[in-house]
DNA sequence: ATTTGACCTGGAGTGCACTCCAGGTCGTAG
DNA sequence: CTACGACCTGGAGTGCACTCCAGGTCAAAT
């Protein structure tokens, strides 16, 4: 199957402008064109876009995504480097998850604190000054 | 205790410029000054900074951090809204963790795939064309 | 007395990742 | 046949979160 840029945008969750932008900066190989010169994305293009958006979601900078994209053209010779990029990204993502988890704990703690305030409000002591955040 | 801007930067993990920037945009109340007019951060200031950096780590935009910061000045009357912000942020963080987790799964899958290639390399079949990313 | 280093201010500059725009070309629907 | 909507290009503009800079003050060390 082949998809117009609007269809590709819909399916990838990226905007039309972003699709053209990704092509310009060489994240995405120029797709085929129809007789009128309009982009015609293939399923393979969409698959690559889907993977790209995963990388983006993990916070990989565009520069590194581009390196990865370029390496794809160099066949198996580049497989080692490509794998290394993914392994490093996995490490970064795991670290990020841990960091977020610890922030989640802080949020929970603070929220509990506010619930405490609410409870005090309901009861007798309206003492509040001095409670920091 | 009181801390110079350099000490506050060291302890908060923010740069000196960022500390002044946060003060300018009203994320941070202007700290006390010493006799020479230099900033003298209190432990309370540092506590607030620590919490702010947690919020930042969760990806909260500065606008919302500023709203939260401003609400702090309005005492208990604003506790409800403050709590609501934190609850919403907790939700966002939990969602983000789930999203990252699913990307982690994709990375693991791809990495396994590369390990497969390496394995094939070691053995007899050097067939590689057609394997997507 | 001067030099050094940490700090001050207001304002300009940076990098990232888009996002928008003007002006133009197609192919189909009325 | 013309009007419309979707698409095209090159280039400019945006928002965010810093980061850097020039030119100046001050207190302690040499």
């Amino acid at each position: 199957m082949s998809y117009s840029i609007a269809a590709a945008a819909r399916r990838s969750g990226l905007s039309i402008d972003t699709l053209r932008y990704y092509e310009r900066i060489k994240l995405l190989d120029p797709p085929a064109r129809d007789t009128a010169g309009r982009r015609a994305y293939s399923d393979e293009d969409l698959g690559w876009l889907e993977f790209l958006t995963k990388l983006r979601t993990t916070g990989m900078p565009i520069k590194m995504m581009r390196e990865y994209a370029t390496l794809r053209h160099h066949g198996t010779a580049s497989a080692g480097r490509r794998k290394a990029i993914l392994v490093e990204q996995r490490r970064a993502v795991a670290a990020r998850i841990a960091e977020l988890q610890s922030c989640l704990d802080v949020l929970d703690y603070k929220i509990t604190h506010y619930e405490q305030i609410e409870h005090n409000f309901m009861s007798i002591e309206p003492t509040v000054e001095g409670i920091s955040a």
Side-chain angles (χ1 to χ4, degrees), chain A residues 100-111:
Chain A
L100 284 179
Q101 190 59 58
S102 107
C103 287
L104 201 57
D105 294 344
V106 172
L107 286 176
D108 281 337
Y109 177 81
K110 283 276 185 183
I111 288 168

Side-chain angles (χ1 to χ4, degrees), chain A residues 83-99:
Chain A
K83 183 188 164 194
I85 289 173
L86 297 192
V87 167
E88 162 57 17
Q89 195 62 15
R90 174 172 61 182
R91 198 204 49 69
V93 172
R96 179 87 179 114
I97 288 174
E99 186 181 50

Side-chain angles (χ1 to χ4, degrees), chain A residues 40-104:
Chain A
Y41 294 88
S42 68
D43 284 304
E44 213 187 307
D45 291 333
L46 291 196
W48 170 240
L49 270 175
E50 189 183 335
F51 182 55
L52 265 190
T53 59
K54 296 284 181 196
L55 290 183
R56 181 182 68 160
T57 298
T58 68
M60 182 182 282
I62 278 180
K63 274 198 174 189
M64 203 177 305
M65 290 196 275
R66 200 170 51 206
E67 182 184 354
Y68 189 93
T70 306
L71 287 170
R72 280 188 354 130
H73 299 313
H74 300 347
T76 33
S78 70
R81 174 74 187 123
R82 261 140 69 202
K83 183 188 164 194
I85 289 173
L86 297 192
V87 167
E88 162 57 17
Q89 195 62 15
R90 174 172 61 182
R91 198 204 49 69
V93 172
R96 179 87 179 114
I97 288 174
E99 186 181 50
L100 284 179
Q101 190 59 58
S102 107
C103 287
L104 201 57

